[in-house]
Amino acid sequence: MLFRSTISFSIYVDEKQSFEGFEELSNLKSFNGGRGIESDPYVINNCQELQNIRNDLSAYYKLDRDINCWDIDFEPIGNLTSPFRGNFNGQNYIISNVLIQKLLNENVGLFGALGTTGVITEVNLEKIYVIGYNSVGGLVGNS
């Protein structure tokens, strides 16, 4: 599912409007379906969609198939400043071949940090390679 949004903007210099315009944003959130709410979670079918969770850390998500991330330089989902506070249901599917290399970073994992309201259920991991400095885990770096 592709969401499109338009942002209108004005730039003011010395309290005078000097430029007006608009910018179209596409791929703001890109998932295979759903609205990100409890009764209709975002549907994730590939590794890029899994990575897109970083754009909305408090929504509801579910896997719809096994995911192979062999071709993605994966960035952890959430950090201590902005932890994952949503709900992720793996539905017993497998996430495999994830490589996260953050040698000098803390809180490194598929989910870098899990907030107090964050929930991760029914997820299976295979061949998860995580390199970090401190608080490192395959599924969650810090909870």
Side-chain angles (χ1 to χ4, degrees):
M1 177 172 292
L2 176 65
F3 294 89
R4 297 183 84 76
S5 178
T6 300
I7 296 176
S8 296
F9 60 91
S10 299
I11 298 174
Y12 292 87
V13 178
D14 297 328
E15 300 181 354
K16 293 183 180 179
Q17 186 173 350
S18 62
F19 181 82
E20 283 190 45
F22 68 93
E23 178 179 349
E24 185 175 287
L25 299 176
S26 60
N27 294 323
L28 186 60
K29 292 181 186 170
S30 183
F31 300 100
N32 197 46
R35 295 181 297 152
I37 60 175
E38 186 173 8
S39 62
D40 189 19
Y42 288 128
V43 177
I44 296 174
N45 281 331
N46 60 53
C47 198
Q48 184 57 58
E49 291 173 352
L50 181 65
Q51 189 71 96
N52 289 344
I53 293 174
R54 298 175 72 234
N55 298 327
D56 188 348
L57 297 169
S58 59
Y60 285 77
Y61 300 91
K62 70 177 181 180
L63 286 184
D64 200 37
R65 63 176 53 134
D66 293 339
I67 294 177
N68 187 330
C69 292
W70 68 271
D71 61 345
I72 298 282
D73 183 17
F74 204 87
E75 290 290 325
I77 299 166
N79 55 48
L80 279 183
T81 306
S82 299
F84 179 73
R85 299 173 310 278
N87 185 296
F88 181 85
N89 184 344
Q91 299 196 112
N92 287 313
Y93 288 109
I94 299 167
I95 299 171
S96 63
N97 297 310
V98 176
L99 174 61
I100 304 171
Q101 299 182 79
K102 303 292 175 192
L103 185 62
L104 302 177
N105 293 28
E106 297 181 341
N107 311 305
V108 182
L110 188 68
F111 291 84
L114 185 65
T116 57
T117 60
V119 176
I120 300 170
T121 59
E122 298 181 1
V123 114
N124 296 298
L125 303 177
E126 286 183 1
K127 299 179 183 174
I128 307 295
Y129 306 96
V130 182
I131 300 169
Y133 174 70
N134 193 19
S135 296
V136 176
L139 183 59
V140 177
N142 188 308
S143 63

